[in-house]
Amino acid sequence: MPPRTERGFWDGRSVSRGYSVAQTARLVCGLRWACGRLSEILGVWAAQAAAGPEPHAFAAFRLTVLSRRLEAHLEILDGLQPDSELMAAWRQAAPADQALVAALDEMAAMEGPFERLAVAETVIVPALDGVYREIGEHAAPHCDGALASAARALRHDLGGETAVAGAGQLSAAAAIEAADRVLAAAGSLVGPHVLRPNDWA
């Protein structure tokens, strides 16, 4: 057993309090919703790109890959939801904050297959990667082993996704900037207060 410190357990590198069962339930609930909603948005974008001219085929392929990847992440996260009756309120995936619903709806309405692909790879993937990274930083081995392990694995799964390059990025600069702004205003994909609960202060 690692030595107890005033704020948590020492893992050899950093001190972490870890998440309580209720905090884990709320975090996983919000993350499940985010992955599901993003997978749905990317799937729609992929289908619309596939129905367009042939130059859109690359965007359709990449968006399909990302949509299916996030769907797989959702399945893994489903297995992390605490099943205690006391946590029943969080069994159904739900947004961590209602502002996220409007934010992702606004992003979903963006136009242009290459702009959408740029947003997916330059905004959505890094945002989700950031959530997984923070979970790994805040989770504690003594109580959050499964959650931390899943976050590492899911982050590694995203590691092969790289942003579109060159002229594609430049032409989509406005869409990328708009998506960044919308997501930042909503507090990212699960909200900072869920990743770092207020009672940790």
Side-chain angles (χ1 to χ4, degrees):
M1 174 77 68
R4 181 76 177 179
T5 68
E6 189 172 319
R7 295 191 58 197
F9 281 80
W10 177 250
D11 66 2
R13 296 170 301 171
S14 60
V15 176
S16 175
R17 300 186 58 153
Y19 296 98
S20 69
V21 175
Q23 288 165 347
T24 296
R26 187 179 183 191
L27 171 59
V28 174
C29 174
L31 191 50
R32 287 164 62 212
W33 177 85
C35 283
R37 180 65 179 121
L38 290 171
S39 176
E40 176 184 293
I41 290 170
L42 297 179
V44 170
W45 286 357
Q48 292 175 347
E54 186 163 339
H56 296 175
F58 175 74
F61 169 74
R62 293 293 299 138
L63 290 166
T64 297
V65 168
L66 281 171
S67 175
R68 291 177 178 172
R69 185 155 290 179
L70 296 192
E71 184 178 5
H73 286 204
L74 172 59
E75 292 175 2
I76 292 171
L77 292 165
D78 282 345
L80 294 174
Q81 193 71 48
D83 58 4
S84 165
E85 285 299 322
L86 296 175
M87 301 297 111
W90 291 290
R91 282 185 185 163
Q92 296 298 317
D97 191 301
Q98 284 302 312
L100 289 167
V101 178
L104 294 194
D105 284 349
E106 186 173 343
M107 288 176 63
M110 291 181 170
E111 299 288 344
F114 298 111
E115 288 80 358
R116 288 170 166 180
L117 179 59
V119 166
E121 296 190 321
T122 310
V123 179
I124 291 174
V125 168
L128 190 55
D129 178 83
V131 172
Y132 293 146
R133 175 183 53 76
E134 284 211 50
I135 290 174
E137 290 175 355
H138 299 313
H142 67 285
C143 59
D144 303 316
L147 179 62
S149 178
R152 285 193 299 270
L154 295 177
R155 190 179 183 202
H156 178 76
D157 187 55
L158 287 177
E161 302 305 331
T162 55
V164 290
Q169 272 193 350
L170 293 175
S171 67
I176 292 169
E177 182 180 354
D180 268 329
R181 184 172 59 252
V182 166
L183 200 55
S188 191
L189 293 175
V190 294
H193 59 289
V194 177
L195 278 170
R196 301 179 296 280
N198 292 331
D199 60 8
W200 284 3

